[in-house]
Amino acid sequence: MISIALDGPAGAGKSTVAKGVAKDLGFIYVDTGALYRTVGLHFIRKGITTELKCDIESELKEIVVDIKFVNNEQRVFLNGEDVSEQIRTPEASMMASAVSAKPPVRAFLLDMQRKLARENNVIMDGRDIGTVVLPDATLKYFVTATAEERANRRYKELIEKGMDVEYKAVYDDIVKRDYNDSHREIAPLKPAEDSIIFDTTGNTLEQSVELLKKSIKERLD
Ligand code: DC
């Protein structure tokens, strides 16, 4: 099986780029952030705040997280309920970042991610795919862009979805998440030593998709 690890900070364009590449290569696109968001949604629903003053292990015992592919598109389930849309709010982003720093949460989601890569050709998007989840991935990319550009893209995306957000709040969230994700003790966001750095600053997402496809094809051939 072929696996392509695509790590990088929030808003770098990983998901759009990975979807385009997956379609082209006939691979499945796995968005691992959605799994952390699904776990986070459970905590939000329980009224727990991002300080996570609770017994994480016993909360995890209450939930089953599933991932399914419908027409090649990933859907995520929390105790059988499809929550693929509910996890896309700024609140769910911050909670995902908070829960993802907790070792029991990372352990809870690890096997599911590895199993998907054992059974399918995958392009997997996350923060620790090349470093922890799939250290033997066929190819590893670290996709990045400046915080301003990432905030801009995320802001436009949320506005297009009809959400009432301000640019400054989106920018502050991105900076805060970058800090959380790269300073946690377990599986912090950082490029794997053997990863290829792919900077999308100044490119449109379409250009980034084309450039990444070209790079992957050259390397797989
Ligand atoms: O990719 P995303 O923005 O949907 O991810 C949400 C959060 O989940 C992110 O802030 C950090 C965490 N995450 C992680 O720790 N490891 C991954 N492989 C994917 C996401």
Side-chain angles (χ1 to χ4, degrees):
M1 288 295 167
I2 299 173
S3 52
I4 302 173
L6 211 66
D7 292 304
K14 297 189 300 288
S15 68
T16 314
V17 171
K19 272 184 205 158
V21 172
K23 197 164 169 225
D24 214 52
L25 296 176
F27 286 16
I28 60 168
Y29 161 60
V30 183
D31 165 12
T32 62
L35 301 173
Y36 291 92
R37 288 167 179 270
T38 302
V39 172
L41 186 64
H42 166 76
F43 287 78
I44 292 174
R45 287 179 172 177
K46 290 287 293 276
I48 298 166
T49 64
T50 49
E51 281 133 36
L52 299 175
K53 289 190 183 129
C54 62
D55 178 349
I56 307 238
E57 309 244 8
S58 64
E59 290 304 326
L60 292 174
K61 286 198 186 103
E62 288 184 19
I63 61 175
V64 176
V65 173
D66 258 327
I67 184 165
K68 288 184 192 152
F69 293 86
V70 182
N71 297 328
N72 248 3
E73 196 191 315
Q74 171 181 312
R75 308 293 300 177
V76 283
F77 297 81
L78 176 59
N79 290 338
E81 176 193 351
D82 185 339
V83 293
S84 310
E85 269 83 44
Q86 283 95 312
I87 58 169
R88 297 290 158 200
T89 63
E91 189 190 11
S93 302
M94 288 314 286
M95 186 58 96
S97 183
V99 298
S100 72
K102 300 292 177 192
V105 173
R106 304 204 73 84
F108 180 73
L109 297 173
L110 188 61
D111 286 347
M112 188 188 306
Q113 298 171 72
R114 288 191 174 149
K115 185 165 183 278
L116 283 165
R118 265 199 310 276
E119 296 174 353
N120 306 276
N121 288 326
V122 294
I123 178 156
M124 199 175 272
D125 144 0
R127 303 291 189 285
D128 62 336
I129 309 304
T131 50
V132 176
V133 179
L134 306 175
D136 298 323
T138 319
L139 289 177
K140 299 179 185 178
Y141 286 89
F142 192 84
V143 183
T144 187
T146 60
E148 289 74 18
E149 178 136 347
R150 290 185 284 120
N152 236 322
R153 290 179 190 158
R154 197 36 74 85
Y155 173 72
K156 281 189 196 143
E157 212 176 283
L158 293 169
I159 292 290
E160 269 164 29
K161 279 191 193 161
M163 288 189 197
D164 181 21
V165 287
E166 284 186 15
Y167 172 79
K168 174 84 172 70
V170 176
Y171 176 81
D172 289 348
D173 272 9
I174 289 256
V175 171
K176 181 151 182 241
R177 277 217 285 155
D178 282 359
Y179 186 86
N180 287 350
D181 296 348
S182 50
H183 286 79
R184 64 180 180 223
E185 275 176 30
I186 181 166
L189 169 67
K190 64 167 188 219
E193 275 177 18
D194 49 350
S195 69
I196 300 154
I197 308 287
F198 189 78
D199 192 336
T200 65
T201 309
N203 291 345
T204 63
L205 287 174
E206 291 74 23
Q207 286 167 331
S208 300
V209 173
E210 287 315 309
L211 287 169
L212 190 68
K213 269 189 206 164
K214 191 162 167 276
S215 165
I216 291 174
K217 282 185 183 154
E218 276 169 13
R219 287 181 162 86
L220 288 182
D221 276 348

